[in-house]
Amino acid sequence: MTDFSFAMLPGIDSEELMWLQELTKNYSEENTRRFLSIYQGRRQDPQTILICSLIGLIGPAGIQRFLLKQIGMGILFLFTLGFCFIGTIVDAVNHRKLTWEYNKKEAIASAALLGLKDF
């Protein structure tokens, strides 16, 4: 399996690409393909998180937190109007970091689900 498979993920940056290559360097081609199929289903696109953060400025706040499986923070954002819009703006600015942290956890969970790596 080529590195091109990871590069086709929407919104992937060089840091995530290198991290995924390092994570899967000892996998067989079949295991890498299985990992990629699971990871693609769990991964969030940074642009989606940005758009959901910006929606919080004109509509319901906290959608991005629900997408990142941070239910408690999502409810808090919803009831406090995104901490009076300040938290929503901070999330919009830091959308790449929030998404990267989420995707990293999901990559580890995907590898563990396949039994490919002990973490």
Side-chain angles (χ1 to χ4, degrees):
M1 179 154 267
T2 64
D3 297 338
F4 183 68
S5 302
F6 290 122
M8 290 185 58
L9 293 170
I12 193 165
D13 61 359
S14 59
E15 181 183 9
E16 184 178 4
L17 181 62
M18 288 188 311
W19 192 83
L20 287 171
Q21 289 170 344
E22 183 65 27
L23 180 68
T24 61
K25 71 179 179 184
N26 296 325
Y27 294 0
S28 67
E29 187 173 328
E30 177 63 29
N31 284 340
T32 303
R33 188 175 295 118
R34 289 175 43 213
F35 168 80
L36 185 60
S37 68
I38 292 173
Y39 181 62
Q40 278 180 322
R42 293 174 164 226
R43 183 180 180 274
Q44 290 293 338
D45 180 18
Q47 284 185 324
T48 304
I49 301 303
L50 175 61
I51 290 168
C52 291
S53 295
L54 295 176
I55 287 172
L57 295 173
I58 58 172
I63 298 171
Q64 74 278 9
R65 294 296 181 148
F66 287 109
L67 287 175
L68 296 172
K69 296 183 182 173
Q70 298 175 353
I71 307 301
M73 284 296 287
I75 292 170
L76 192 60
F77 268 58
L78 190 63
F79 288 130
T80 62
L81 296 175
F83 295 109
C84 298
F85 302 109
I86 294 171
T88 301
I89 293 169
V90 169
D91 277 3
V93 170
N94 293 325
H95 72 280
R96 286 208 170 270
K97 181 181 179 228
L98 290 169
T99 308
W100 167 236
E101 290 172 356
Y102 174 81
N103 287 340
K104 196 173 189 179
K105 289 178 190 172
E106 290 302 319
I108 292 170
S110 298
L113 183 65
L114 293 172
L116 298 175
K117 206 145 183 134
D118 294 326
F119 294 98

